[in-house]
Amino acid sequence: MDLKIAVLAGDGIGPEISAVGVDVVSAVCARFGHNVEYAYAPVGADAIDKTGNPFPEDTYRTCLWADAVLFSAVGDPRYDNDPDAKVRPEQGLLAMRKKLGLYANIRPIETFDCLIHMSPLRKEIVEGADFVCVRELTGGMYFGEKLEGDERAYDTNLYTRTEVERILHTAYAYARRRRHHLTVVDKANVLASSRLWRKVARELAAEYPDVETDFMYVDNAAMRMIQDPRFFDVMVTENTFGDILTDEGSVITGSMGLLPSASTGEKTPVFEPIHGSWPQAKGQNIANPLAQILSVAMLFEHFDLLEEAATVRRAVKASLDANIRTPDIQVAGAPAYGTREVGSWITAYISTMH
């Protein structure tokens, strides 16, 4: 297979983990006989410094050229500490999602047996937790009409039937590939937009009789994720709720540095770790690259290259079992490995595994 990949490293630790992700893609493609071509483009603060635009037109064209985007992180404290800044790195991420039509954000929440002790939840609660959050990504308050003033402000949580239907179809497709259980999360007892979600979901449920569909208010879902995360198989929700719940879900594993995501929709799909740019660690070779590496596994899965994806996951598990880990997840008394060293170990494992 021929693959064209746009690499958007971004800011902070982005370039370091991005380099590891590219190495893993190359190792897998070499092992399985695929051809891969890369094109690099700026985004976020890096792009602002170079062009004044956090998502330049040239970067957009590079994304359209590609079969997939391997993205890392955006964010810079220069902008975090300036509330009057008119241009921000995060605007590049939102622009990328909007211009590529990336309406579905897929975040798997999966525990690793050797790291369960790092979870803030008791072992008997978290062990075996394995679910997917499907978040609508281009609608709701983040993109609706806004007013910001000194005395009055609002954000409009607007959704259309079409937007709700397409994300629900995506979620049902994931449920059919997993344990055939879908939980629709809303706030239909209060919000009109949520009542539309529930109405459409009840209608679509009839098209998926093989999937058990249930409904849960967002506050109850937040509690249930902590009390009984194993209840969930696939969860689907709107943009704002999904942003909050997926970050809550990420701590179940014990480290945000372990979790990848995919954003799919109308144009080129994007694969990225869920963590941020961690500018304080920039250039220190301490950032955990596993979320970026696991996003590579999701990239291969997107193209139905399932053996390739499984190879990446086996390599990650092997590195954890061998205690080849960055400081954030290393066991007490064991040597901590750097970003590059973990990446090199995993790419070597992929190249030589039987």
Side-chain angles (χ1 to χ4, degrees):
M1 183 175 182
D2 294 332
L3 281 174
K4 295 184 294 185
I5 297 180
V7 182
L8 277 57
D11 309 322
I13 61 171
E16 298 167 70
I17 61 171
S18 177
V20 172
V22 168
D23 287 346
V24 170
V25 172
S26 297
V28 172
C29 288
R31 180 180 179 88
F32 288 90
H34 303 304
N35 297 314
V36 59
E37 181 180 357
Y38 302 102
Y40 293 79
V43 68
D46 177 47
I48 295 174
D49 291 341
K50 292 174 178 175
T51 71
N53 185 340
F55 188 63
E57 190 64 24
D58 283 348
T59 298
Y60 176 51
R61 284 194 289 267
T62 299
C63 293
L64 292 179
W65 161 86
D67 299 308
V69 176
L70 188 64
F71 172 75
S72 296
V74 295
D76 190 290
R78 290 177 295 163
Y79 301 90
D80 296 340
N81 299 327
D82 182 4
D84 296 321
K86 301 302 182 185
V87 179
R88 296 179 178 276
E90 292 77 12
Q91 292 170 344
L93 181 58
L94 294 178
M96 178 170 64
R97 291 171 178 171
K98 196 69 174 180
K99 294 182 77 169
L100 294 178
L102 303 175
Y103 61 81
N105 181 236
I106 315 301
R107 288 195 180 185
I109 309 295
E110 181 181 3
T111 55
F112 295 84
D113 289 344
C114 65
L115 294 174
I116 283 180
H117 66 283
M118 297 190 65
S119 174
L121 302 180
R122 297 195 309 273
K123 177 180 178 179
E124 59 268 26
I125 293 176
V126 74
E127 190 170 32
D130 175 13
F131 61 98
V132 171
C133 296
V134 179
R135 167 190 169 193
E136 202 289 323
L137 203 58
T138 57
M141 286 192 289
Y142 290 4
F143 294 94
E145 182 182 347
K146 300 176 184 298
L147 173 70
E148 184 173 352
D150 293 334
E151 304 296 331
R152 184 168 176 262
Y154 61 75
D155 300 276
T156 307
N157 198 43
L158 174 65
Y159 272 104
T160 66
R161 171 177 284 271
T162 299
E163 289 174 317
V164 178
E165 286 179 344
R166 68 185 182 181
I167 194 68
L168 285 168
H169 283 305
T170 299
Y172 273 114
Y174 271 89
R176 278 183 162 173
R177 293 198 294 268
R178 291 174 51 87
R179 301 191 300 273
H180 294 253
H181 176 203
L182 179 66
T183 302
V184 181
V185 175
D186 60 32
K187 193 63 176 172
N189 57 336
V190 175
L191 299 178
S193 56
S194 281
R195 285 191 285 276
L196 174 64
W197 271 75
R198 187 166 292 210
K199 174 182 174 64
V200 174
R202 289 192 183 280
E203 294 172 2
L204 288 189
E207 299 181 24
Y208 299 91
D210 55 320
V211 177
E212 177 188 358
T213 304
D214 52 37
F215 298 85
M216 195 175 292
Y217 295 147
V218 62
D219 41 1
N220 187 22
M223 291 187 291
R224 192 71 181 267
M225 284 173 63
I226 299 303
Q227 295 170 334
D228 183 19
R230 288 175 293 197
F231 168 82
F232 297 103
D233 177 24
V234 177
M235 171 194 300
V236 62
T237 191
E238 58 98 55
N239 203 344
T240 305
F241 296 160
D243 191 5
I244 297 167
L245 290 175
T246 52
D247 281 353
E248 180 191 5
S250 71
V251 304
I252 289 174
T253 67
S255 173
M256 290 185 72
L258 297 170
L259 299 179
S261 73
S263 297
T264 63
E266 299 167 1
K267 298 174 184 175
T268 314
V270 174
F271 302 88
E272 62 182 289
I274 72 163
H275 57 70
S277 62
W278 196 15
Q280 299 85 352
K282 179 180 179 180
Q284 297 183 37
N285 194 38
I286 61 173
N288 189 342
L290 294 188
Q292 181 83 87
I293 293 171
L294 289 169
S295 71
V296 169
M298 294 189 76
L299 185 156
F300 286 121
E301 286 169 344
H302 179 81
F303 295 105
D304 290 325
L305 300 173
L306 303 185
E307 188 176 354
E308 289 84 339
T311 296
V312 175
R313 296 185 187 281
R314 284 199 299 273
V316 167
K317 183 179 185 303
S319 73
L320 292 171
D321 290 343
N323 288 335
I324 311 298
R325 312 181 190 183
T326 46
D328 58 309
I329 57 170
Q330 186 55 290
V331 297
Y337 292 81
T339 310
R340 292 188 297 272
E341 289 70 33
V342 171
S344 295
W345 193 95
I346 288 174
T347 53
Y349 185 94
I350 289 169
S351 300
T352 59
M353 66 186 294
H354 300 291

